[in-house]
Amino acid sequence: MQSPSLRQLDIFAQMVAAGSVARCADMLGVTADDIARDIGSLEMRLGYRLFEDMSGTVRLTPAGRKTAQAMTLLSQDAPEDWDETAAPAQVPPAPPRQTIMLAAPAPIFGHFQEALSAFEAANEDIAITLDLQVQSVTDAAAALREGRADIAYFYALEEPAGFASRYGWSEPLSLYVGAAHPLAQADSVSRDDLAVTPMLALERHNPMRHIVEDALARGRVQLGAPVLESDDMFAVMTALRAGKGIFAAFGALARDLGRMDGIGRLPLDTQLPAIEVRQALGPRAAETPAVEALAEFLFL
């Protein structure tokens, strides 16, 4: 999973092991507020909750458990080694089940996590494993070709040429500023206004940044030079509220920003391109009815 910072993922792993915010803070030599801040920032980036409650003894949500299992950084921490307070008790070994590997950006998993749980509940002989590292059509094509995924979801601006996929839905791209920003009270914002306004951006290695920049370029929108490049969403929100620049977002992150006090969406005089979410299947999907069944079920 490339979008969240390594520090946030490490703290998530420590929280799973510690079982409480206070114990995790003590283990890492930081404050409980620091832990809560990083977990909250990670949940905002993913688009779903990882823990049921951050007070007292913590328990992973179903989505949190699947995320932990999918994280490469946690591969050395087998689920049976987790603190019992952080994860439900282990059940007796079950008969071998058919495994379907689903690759998708983490926020997309948040979109259909309930559907995945329902499919597994209705098909006890099938287990769904997640790979949250896929973002683009290049990622999806490689994962399917190399057998690392049976079903892949990815972001695109249009149907990719030479790669069979189908359209799932679109995520509108929006620009956000804080109430203190000079453009916050404008009735309409033009491309010229944007070109002279500093930008807040994710870090350069973050694939989500490249997707956003490609969409802006297609919409012939150019923002000013970045004054902040960070994957720490609390740092981004602080800079937004201080009026330091514009931040572009889509999907779960955009929805969360839209609910934040002191942050609003810019009323643009031109429509920005939407980011498509597309689904593709592996070359041997037709030989595996369960894969095709899950792919169809996620479209219901």
Side-chain angles (χ1 to χ4, degrees):
M1 189 169 13
Q2 300 176 40
S3 297
S5 71
L6 293 178
R7 181 174 183 274
Q8 292 168 353
L9 296 177
D10 181 59
I11 288 177
F12 173 51
Q14 296 291 341
M15 274 284 290
V16 171
S20 75
V21 174
R23 193 182 308 167
C24 183
D26 185 62
M27 289 169 53
L28 298 178
V30 298
T31 68
D33 287 343
D34 290 334
I35 299 298
R37 168 186 167 127
D38 279 296
I39 293 297
S41 183
L42 178 57
E43 290 179 329
M44 179 177 290
R45 294 300 312 281
L46 296 178
Y48 51 85
R49 294 178 60 195
L50 296 167
F51 296 97
E52 298 286 358
D53 191 351
M54 292 291 287
S55 62
T57 300
V58 298
R59 294 183 67 86
L60 289 165
T61 64
R65 294 193 69 195
K66 278 192 172 293
T67 301
Q69 293 164 4
M71 284 170 47
T72 303
L73 294 178
L74 294 183
S75 62
Q76 296 179 352
D77 297 324
E80 58 267 27
D81 295 332
W82 294 351
D83 189 290
E84 291 185 356
T85 61
Q90 298 297 305
V91 298
R97 298 191 292 172
Q98 178 183 351
T99 298
I100 298 177
M101 175 63 82
L102 174 65
I108 300 306
F109 164 55
H111 180 88
F112 49 54
Q113 59 178 289
E114 292 185 2
L116 291 176
S117 297
F119 188 88
E120 283 188 312
N123 299 272
E124 296 182 353
D125 59 334
I126 295 174
I128 301 170
T129 305
L130 302 176
D131 175 353
L132 303 181
Q133 299 188 59
V134 166
Q135 301 279 345
S136 66
V137 60
T138 302
D139 298 335
L144 295 172
R145 181 178 63 252
E146 296 167 7
R148 293 184 285 108
D150 299 302
I151 304 171
Y153 280 81
F154 60 94
Y155 295 125
L157 297 180
E158 61 185 356
E159 182 176 3
F163 181 65
S165 65
R166 61 175 173 172
Y167 172 82
W169 67 90
S170 291
E171 299 280 11
L173 178 65
S174 299
L175 302 181
Y176 293 88
V177 296
H181 195 279
L183 294 179
Q185 305 305 318
D187 293 328
S188 179
V189 176
S190 69
R191 288 188 177 91
D192 290 339
D193 295 326
L194 298 175
V196 296
T197 304
M199 173 179 61
L200 308 176
L202 300 174
E203 295 179 7
R204 292 185 181 276
H205 68 269
N206 193 317
M208 298 290 284
R209 173 169 173 171
H210 302 304
I211 293 166
V212 167
E213 289 180 342
D214 288 347
L216 292 175
R218 171 165 293 198
R220 295 183 293 112
V221 171
Q222 180 178 358
L223 299 177
V227 294
L228 173 69
E229 296 174 297
S230 175
D231 284 350
D232 182 342
M233 291 315 302
F234 280 89
V236 172
M237 288 188 296
T238 298
L240 276 173
R241 290 185 171 122
K244 292 184 177 181
I246 292 175
F247 185 73
F250 66 94
L253 178 55
R255 290 190 292 272
D256 285 343
L257 286 174
R259 301 187 186 108
M260 298 292 175
D261 293 335
I263 296 175
R265 183 170 62 87
L266 280 179
L268 302 179
D269 65 359
T270 184
Q271 186 173 358
L272 297 177
I275 286 82
E276 293 185 2
V277 177
R278 304 190 68 86
Q279 182 200 74
L281 304 183
R284 301 176 64 88
E287 303 173 15
T288 313
V291 171
E292 291 193 320
L294 176 58
E296 291 297 327
F297 185 76
L298 295 178
F299 266 77
L300 295 179

